[in-house]
Amino acid sequence: MGGNSPCASCKLLRRRCAKDCIFAPYFPSEDPQKFAIVHKVFGASNVSKMLQELPVHQRADAVSSLVYEANARVRDPVYGCVGAISYLQNQVSELQMQLAVAQAEILCIQMQHEPSMPNPGLDEIDPDQKSYYLQNDLPQYLNFPSSSNVIHDSLKRETIFGHDMVS
């Protein structure tokens, strides 16, 4: 960064920090771990090339993405960010299923509390068939088990970047 304190990149690479150092605006000396992890995963030369190819107004976002991906790669070397995204998509799917079950339970309860409508055609049916129709009414089809029993915690509780992903 000129003559003062070198940026985290130049400090880690043990080189003099030039005034036009491409890393200096994005990797300040106060946060050396930020560059260290990006360097470990991508390499300083590759990061430098990536930043040089981007317009200046996009570089900060690119560095932010590189830091995020580097952290993900260190935590999960095989899947990286894709592993975190996949985990979250599975969690959303499970929650949508729980919501659908809860909505069905609400509908069932609402239908059980509504006064039954007289069925004019039911009087003309044989008494044995009438009991069959009454026993096999719609609310019984919607009488699902409790939503807490439907979905078990199939994914292990894990944290990604220091935050709990399962509540």
Side-chain angles (χ1 to χ4, degrees):
M1 199 133 198
N4 297 346
S5 177
C7 68
S9 166
C10 293
K11 191 181 263 187
L12 182 76
L13 299 173
R14 298 172 188 229
R15 64 182 187 195
R16 189 172 180 275
C17 192
K19 288 184 179 183
D20 60 343
C21 177
I22 195 158
F23 297 118
Y26 313 107
F27 298 104
S29 60
E30 303 86 45
D31 193 5
Q33 188 60 25
K34 185 177 174 181
F35 179 77
I37 199 158
V38 170
H39 172 60
K40 179 179 180 181
V41 173
F42 298 106
S45 177
N46 291 329
V47 174
S48 175
K49 289 174 190 174
M50 283 187 248
L51 292 177
Q52 287 173 350
E53 291 179 9
L54 289 172
V56 176
H57 69 279
Q58 291 180 345
R59 290 178 182 174
D61 290 334
V63 167
S64 177
S65 294
L66 289 170
V67 170
Y68 186 83
E69 176 65 29
N71 279 314
R73 283 281 162 202
V74 167
R75 286 190 73 76
D76 185 353
V78 175
Y79 295 108
C81 285
V82 174
I85 291 167
S86 177
Y87 176 81
L88 292 171
Q89 285 175 334
N90 288 338
Q91 193 175 19
V92 166
S93 295
E94 285 187 16
L95 292 172
Q96 286 173 334
M97 192 181 338
Q98 286 178 353
L99 177 62
V101 169
Q103 288 171 334
E105 288 177 350
I106 290 169
L107 180 62
C108 180
I109 290 169
Q110 287 174 343
M111 291 179 71
Q112 288 174 351
H113 289 358
E114 287 181 8
S116 61
M117 301 289 285
N119 191 342
L122 204 55
D123 294 331
E124 303 160 3
I125 298 176
D126 178 22
D128 291 332
Q129 288 181 335
K130 186 187 275 190
S131 66
Y132 171 80
Y133 286 118
L134 290 175
Q135 288 174 357
N136 294 307
D137 206 0
L138 181 61
Q140 289 184 354
Y141 289 116
L142 294 176
N143 196 7
F144 294 112
S146 172
S147 62
S148 63
N149 295 333
V150 172
I151 298 174
H152 299 286
D153 189 16
S154 60
L155 295 173
K156 65 179 181 178
R157 181 184 191 103
E158 75 180 61
T159 59
I160 297 179
F161 309 120
H163 302 290
D164 279 341
M165 298 309 292
V166 177
S167 55

